[in-house]
Amino acid sequence: MASAAPTHAELRVRFEDFLRSDRFGYDKRIDAAVGLHAANSRTPSSGGPSSQRAPRFVLDVGDLRRSDPPLAGGLVRAPLPHIRALEAAAHELASELHPGYDSKRSGSKIRCAVDGTLGGGLHVSPRGLCSATLRRLVALEGVVTKCSAVLPKLRRSVHYCPATGQRDARDYVDAADAELGLPALDASGVEVPDKYVQATGGSYPTQDANGNPLETEHGLSEYADHQRVTVQEMPERAPVGQLPRSVDVLVGSDLVDRCKPGDRIRVVGVHRPLATANGATASGIFKTVVLGNHLRMLGKDASSRTGQFTVDDLREIKQIGARSDVLDLLGRSAAPSIYGHRQIKRALVLQLLGGCGRDLDNGTHLRGDINILMVGDPSTAKSQILRTALKVAPLAISTTGRGSSGVGLTAAVTTCPETGERRLEAGAMVLADGGMVCIDEFDKMGEEDRVAIHEVMEQQTVTIAKAGIHASLNARCSVLAAANPVYGQYDKRRRPQENIGLPDSLLSRFDLLFVVLDMLDPGNDRKIAGHVLRGHRYRRPGTGVAPETFAGDDSDYDEEEENNGRRGKVWDRPRSGDDASDDQDEVLRQDFLKKYVHYAKSRVRPVLTDAAREAIATHYTDMRSRMDERTLPITARSLETVIRLSTAHARARLSRIVEAEPDVSAAMEILSFALYHENKNSSDVKSAPASETTPSHDKEKQQEDAGQNPAKKSRIDKDAPDPQEKDDRDGGGPESIKTRIIRALEEATDGELDLTTVLTDLDDETKLREAQGLEDTYLHGNVLYHL
């Protein structure tokens, strides 16, 4: 036979004993909460009315579970009667600690916020709310997508009859009231037998029983603040192929105006069905809401599933961070299924790590996120790189240019269908605050929609001024975009701005712009085909983007790795037979790569040294001097780009300081590749075209491509120096070098000559210096054009 539920008086006594116990010190917390509320009530606050609402103290369920386990279990299973008794006990204790405290006179009764570990699978997302969680205490985590305006809800109305001189009062209980369905209490707090709190029916009174008109005394009536917040499942936690679920959270009193669209919150409340005015419907299905009891903000990285580090993880992270080739290793591990694109992979890792944002004393915000744009021919793995970033980044939202609008990316003002009021609805960039937004088919986006993201990409805020709403939302995210050229394929004869078709105001907001071309080369095509075929052959069903290894005859490899320690959990085994290049020698596992990125981004904040500042200033002036009409504009944003890239490289090394070597040098190598199509600091290649579809550090590939012009799909090496030319160079001076350059330019069929692929017996600096003095020619980067 089941035992009867405890009465309100019994629960109140047990909670009062717990609060008075010296073990946890809740009497001091109540004293501090009431004192703070009294001070705020006497002092006008400029931060809004929320500071003058009801006092609230936080109760940890773990403390109650250690003191009285049955009482803690009852609080989770039947929260509404227990919270009512708990707040009554807290009110009694507050009255003793503060003799002048009177909730009726101050208009606010002390509230209790429940927090801590609830257990029993009650820490859920909106997708986890089901019939098993109804009428129970749940801890809900998600991102706020909509917030209604704060409205006053009538709790008690006072009416005056001029004909009789009498006053009458009426209490209101709606379907969202926390006391709905609980046993009714009399004035002394004792339960009234066989009487329960019911929703108020009928219309608002306008006359008394005798038909005399009534006047509402608005000054004597009581109101409570009310707000509806829509919490959506975090994008990174939503299953692939399914829409994120959402639920409405009803908050009141001091919990209103605590969050805004885009914030990640944790709400502790009661999950209950919301009865309609018509009662049960024919289908028996009710809308469910969460009655908020406690609201807490979550950090940017709170949603990351890689936040827990073991001792072995930290040891491996420190060892990898000490390697000199850490950036190349992370780049290979980020996209092992993509062949080549070495510099783009390195830049992607730096984007995942990001720089350090600064908030100056005057209120100016300097962004630390890195924005990257890839423009090039179709079928050059641009979209696949975006998919890779989605899997590696802790928080990433994907969208397309054609399927996105300006308000869909930033924020929109919508109308609530129930109340008709205006409210803000967060867009993709606001929801990705602290993460990354991947935009494919960026060139298909409309001009008006692209203008909407200008503010987000630099100031990292979304300002709304429409429909009488003026608000500013945080959108601190990095942008990774991919686009196709205006003419379908990239035309080397035209300026980059003409090929891209985007305004300079938008291009300058991208830190790095990579031009990716599809070059026909039999040897390189053979290697790409082998790489792709191996990925399909050795992939297990249900795996990620990383190609799987073929166990074959050495199926005991994994067991040997596990016996050797942690290597099987950190490193991916190289694929057997992968003799295309040494690009896949060492690859980190995807889960460990996520841990490394999360650790470096959250725990390392490098600062610039004097040598790094001097090196950055020098490189910036050099870039400004090299700027011409065929290069992208070099502005002050380019200077901040070097700072962000250098800081991100220092994070990759887990260094607390940014040094000139190797941080600034690595940043300039990537930036020079994006701007001038050259690898300045690479030890194994002097120059590489922006269209690299093979690793720029592959010596064999560079030898095969010697003499190839990136503007053509197929070229034959006609520029290899012969012994006679070598003798001319030895016997002559600078004129003989110019003659050889002119001869090679005349032999070029399209009037373009890549100086890095001819006269290989000379260094690049000498060839560039001699080419600058030639008549009827134009030098852009390493390419010489015949006018």
Side-chain angles (χ1 to χ4, degrees):
M1 182 176 179
S3 59
T7 63
H8 175 77
E10 295 173 351
L11 293 176
R12 178 175 176 177
V13 171
R14 295 171 64 180
F15 277 118
E16 191 170 345
D17 294 340
F18 168 73
L19 295 177
R20 294 180 183 274
S21 175
D22 297 335
R23 179 179 178 184
F24 303 105
Y26 279 97
D27 53 346
K28 299 180 181 179
R29 300 186 188 183
I30 295 175
D31 186 13
V34 175
L36 180 62
H37 174 263
N40 291 335
S41 300
R42 293 190 299 266
T43 304
S45 174
S46 60
S50 60
S51 59
Q52 300 181 13
R53 297 180 180 123
R56 184 180 295 266
F57 73 99
V58 180
L59 171 70
D60 193 340
V61 180
D63 296 341
L64 184 60
R65 187 178 292 113
R66 287 189 290 269
S67 177
D68 192 342
L71 187 60
L75 176 63
V76 175
R77 291 190 301 270
L80 293 179
H82 284 73
I83 291 178
R84 184 173 68 168
L86 174 59
E87 292 180 349
H91 173 65
E92 183 69 21
L93 184 57
S95 301
E96 296 180 5
L97 296 175
H98 289 264
Y101 168 73
D102 186 356
S103 62
K104 294 183 179 180
R105 185 176 62 184
S106 63
S108 58
K109 184 178 179 180
I110 189 169
R111 302 290 183 181
C112 174
V114 181
D115 201 358
T117 304
L118 304 182
L122 297 177
H123 291 262
V124 296
S125 66
R127 187 177 297 274
L129 296 175
C130 57
S131 59
T133 59
L134 284 175
R135 294 154 53 105
R136 292 198 172 197
L137 201 65
V138 296
L140 178 71
E141 291 186 358
V143 57
V144 178
T145 57
K146 302 176 186 178
C147 285
S148 69
V150 179
L151 300 176
K153 179 188 290 187
L154 183 62
R155 303 304 303 270
R156 181 183 181 88
S157 63
V158 178
H159 307 276
Y160 172 71
C161 180
T164 62
Q166 300 294 326
R167 283 187 173 87
D168 188 20
R170 183 178 183 182
D171 296 328
Y172 295 87
V173 177
D174 61 356
D177 198 292
E179 297 187 1
L180 180 64
L182 298 181
L185 303 178
D186 57 14
S188 60
V190 180
E191 293 183 359
V192 179
D194 300 331
K195 186 177 181 181
Y196 297 90
V197 179
Q198 297 180 357
T200 304
S203 59
Y204 188 78
T206 57
Q207 58 185 10
D208 60 6
N210 298 326
N212 297 318
L214 297 177
E215 297 178 357
T216 303
E217 296 285 355
H218 295 284
L220 300 178
S221 301
E222 296 180 5
Y223 302 87
D225 292 326
H226 175 79
Q227 188 181 29
R228 182 185 294 265
V229 178
T230 302
V231 178
Q232 181 179 283
E233 187 177 12
M234 295 183 184
E236 65 274 12
R237 296 187 181 180
V240 179
Q242 299 186 26
L243 294 176
R245 302 282 179 85
S246 60
V247 65
D248 288 341
V249 179
L250 304 181
V251 294
S253 187
D254 60 316
L255 296 182
V256 300
D257 268 351
R258 293 279 297 274
C259 59
K260 60 183 181 301
D263 290 340
R264 292 168 178 262
I265 62 174
R266 181 178 187 266
V267 179
V268 177
V270 182
H271 183 218
R272 63 177 297 177
L274 189 63
T276 60
N278 299 329
T281 60
S283 62
I285 298 177
F286 293 92
K287 180 181 179 180
T288 60
V289 296
V290 175
L291 303 182
N293 172 265
H294 180 49
L295 189 149
R296 180 161 55 89
M297 305 295 295
L298 296 178
K300 303 189 293 187
D301 302 322
S303 62
S304 177
R305 301 177 182 177
T306 60
Q308 301 296 329
F309 300 98
T310 63
V311 177
D312 293 332
D313 290 336
L314 297 177
R315 184 182 301 111
E316 294 289 347
I317 289 174
K318 295 297 180 62
Q319 292 178 358
I320 293 175
R323 295 179 48 150
S324 59
D325 61 339
V326 58
L327 187 58
D328 286 322
L329 173 62
L330 297 177
R332 293 195 302 267
S333 305
S337 64
I338 300 175
Y339 187 82
H341 294 310
R342 171 177 176 259
Q343 296 293 358
I344 298 180
K345 292 179 181 179
R346 288 156 55 94
L348 177 61
V349 172
L350 296 184
Q351 184 183 33
L352 292 173
L353 295 172
C356 295
R358 308 287 182 185
D359 292 320
L360 304 182
D361 296 336
N362 58 2
T364 304
H365 174 72
L366 302 179
R367 66 178 173 96
D369 297 296
I370 300 172
N371 301 323
I372 298 178
L373 174 63
M374 295 178 292
V375 179
D377 298 332
S379 185
T380 51
K382 299 189 302 295
S383 299
Q384 193 69 12
I385 292 177
L386 264 63
R387 292 176 57 87
T388 298
L390 288 174
K391 292 185 175 295
V392 177
L395 170 59
I397 294 180
S398 176
T399 182
T400 59
R402 179 62 65 183
S404 301
S405 61
V407 296
L409 289 174
T410 55
V413 177
T414 60
T415 303
C416 178
E418 299 178 356
T419 62
E421 64 179 3
R422 303 284 187 176
R423 62 185 182 184
L424 281 178
E425 185 170 352
M429 289 186 164
V430 178
L431 296 179
D433 184 29
M436 176 187 296
V437 175
C438 300
I439 307 177
D440 202 359
E441 304 294 340
F442 190 68
D443 56 303
K444 307 300 189 298
M445 187 181 299
E447 180 64 26
E448 296 181 357
D449 300 330
R450 282 200 298 261
V451 172
I453 67 175
H454 281 202
E455 179 190 5
V456 178
M457 294 184 62
E458 190 62 36
Q459 281 74 34
Q460 296 193 310
T461 57
V462 174
T463 303
I464 298 295
K466 61 180 66 175
I469 295 179
H470 301 271
S472 180
L473 306 177
N474 288 327
R476 297 158 295 185
C477 60
S478 57
V479 178
L480 178 62
N484 292 323
V486 176
Y487 307 98
Q489 289 187 338
Y490 197 89
D491 187 358
K492 287 282 290 183
R493 296 178 179 272
R494 300 180 180 270
R495 299 171 60 244
Q497 293 88 334
E498 297 177 358
N499 280 280
I500 298 171
L502 298 176
D504 290 344
S505 60
L506 182 60
L507 292 179
S508 64
R509 285 170 165 81
F510 284 100
D511 299 281
L512 296 173
L513 193 152
F514 292 103
V515 177
V516 189
L517 302 185
D518 183 16
M519 296 166 48
L520 292 181
D521 179 76
N524 183 54
D525 294 342
R526 181 71 178 179
K527 295 178 182 180
I528 295 178
H531 182 90
V532 174
L533 290 176
R534 274 189 296 272
H536 282 275
R537 181 180 180 183
Y538 301 144
R539 188 187 304 277
R540 290 198 301 265
T543 57
V545 296
E548 294 295 320
T549 57
F550 178 65
D553 299 331
D554 50 355
S555 59
D556 57 343
Y557 181 85
D558 293 336
E559 182 179 355
E560 294 178 359
E561 272 191 346
E562 296 298 330
N563 295 334
N564 291 336
R566 288 268 304 165
R567 183 169 181 83
K569 298 181 180 179
V570 176
W571 300 93
D572 254 347
R573 176 194 169 196
R575 295 192 299 278
S576 58
D578 189 4
D579 55 356
S581 70
D582 58 353
D583 194 43
Q584 304 290 343
D585 283 345
E586 293 180 320
V587 175
L588 297 174
R589 290 187 178 271
Q590 291 286 315
D591 53 351
F592 184 80
L593 176 62
K594 294 179 182 178
K595 290 185 177 182
Y596 189 94
V597 172
H598 179 69
Y599 178 89
K601 188 173 183 179
S602 60
R603 303 194 182 187
V604 180
R605 292 188 60 85
V607 295
L608 290 171
T609 60
D610 294 337
R613 284 193 288 265
E614 182 65 26
I616 291 175
T618 303
H619 288 301
Y620 173 69
T621 55
D622 292 342
M623 289 190 299
R624 292 278 293 182
S625 62
R626 295 184 61 181
M627 183 177 62
D628 54 37
E629 61 179 7
R630 297 191 64 89
T631 62
L632 293 175
I634 305 298
T635 63
R637 288 173 178 166
S638 304
L639 175 62
E640 295 182 350
T641 295
V642 181
I643 298 175
R644 283 189 283 267
L645 294 176
S646 304
T647 305
H649 190 272
R651 276 183 165 174
R653 299 188 299 113
L654 305 181
S655 174
R656 301 292 178 181
I657 58 175
V658 180
E659 302 179 16
E661 289 288 343
D663 300 322
V664 179
S665 299
M668 286 305 304
E669 179 183 354
I670 297 176
L671 187 58
S672 298
F673 177 84
L675 290 175
Y676 312 114
H677 314 154
E678 61 186 18
N679 284 345
K680 302 178 68 174
N681 297 331
S682 181
S683 59
D684 47 4
V685 59
K686 294 181 179 179
S687 177
S691 59
E692 71 161 345
T693 55
T694 61
S696 60
H697 60 291
D698 192 336
K699 296 181 180 180
E700 179 181 356
K701 178 65 180 67
Q702 294 299 323
Q703 294 172 0
E704 293 177 357
D705 287 344
Q708 184 175 5
N709 194 315
K712 285 291 184 180
K713 295 295 184 180
S714 177
R715 285 287 305 271
I716 301 177
D717 186 1
K718 300 180 180 180
D719 303 309
D722 52 44
Q724 181 64 35
E725 290 178 335
K726 189 175 189 307
D727 294 338
D728 293 342
R729 180 184 62 84
D730 294 338
E735 283 295 327
S736 61
I737 299 178
K738 292 182 179 181
T739 302
R740 295 173 59 190
I741 295 177
I742 294 175
R743 184 186 310 163
L745 182 61
E746 292 174 351
E747 294 176 355
T749 57
D750 54 358
E752 300 179 8
L753 179 64
D754 190 349
L755 294 177
T756 61
T757 60
V758 297
L759 309 184
T760 56
D761 55 326
L762 301 176
D763 60 278
D764 291 347
E765 183 178 356
T766 301
K767 290 183 288 185
L768 291 174
R769 183 178 63 251
E770 299 300 329
Q772 290 178 352
L774 296 178
E775 297 181 356
D776 298 331
T777 60
Y778 173 76
L779 181 63
H780 171 62
N782 296 323
V783 180
L784 185 65
Y785 298 87
H786 188 276
L787 300 179

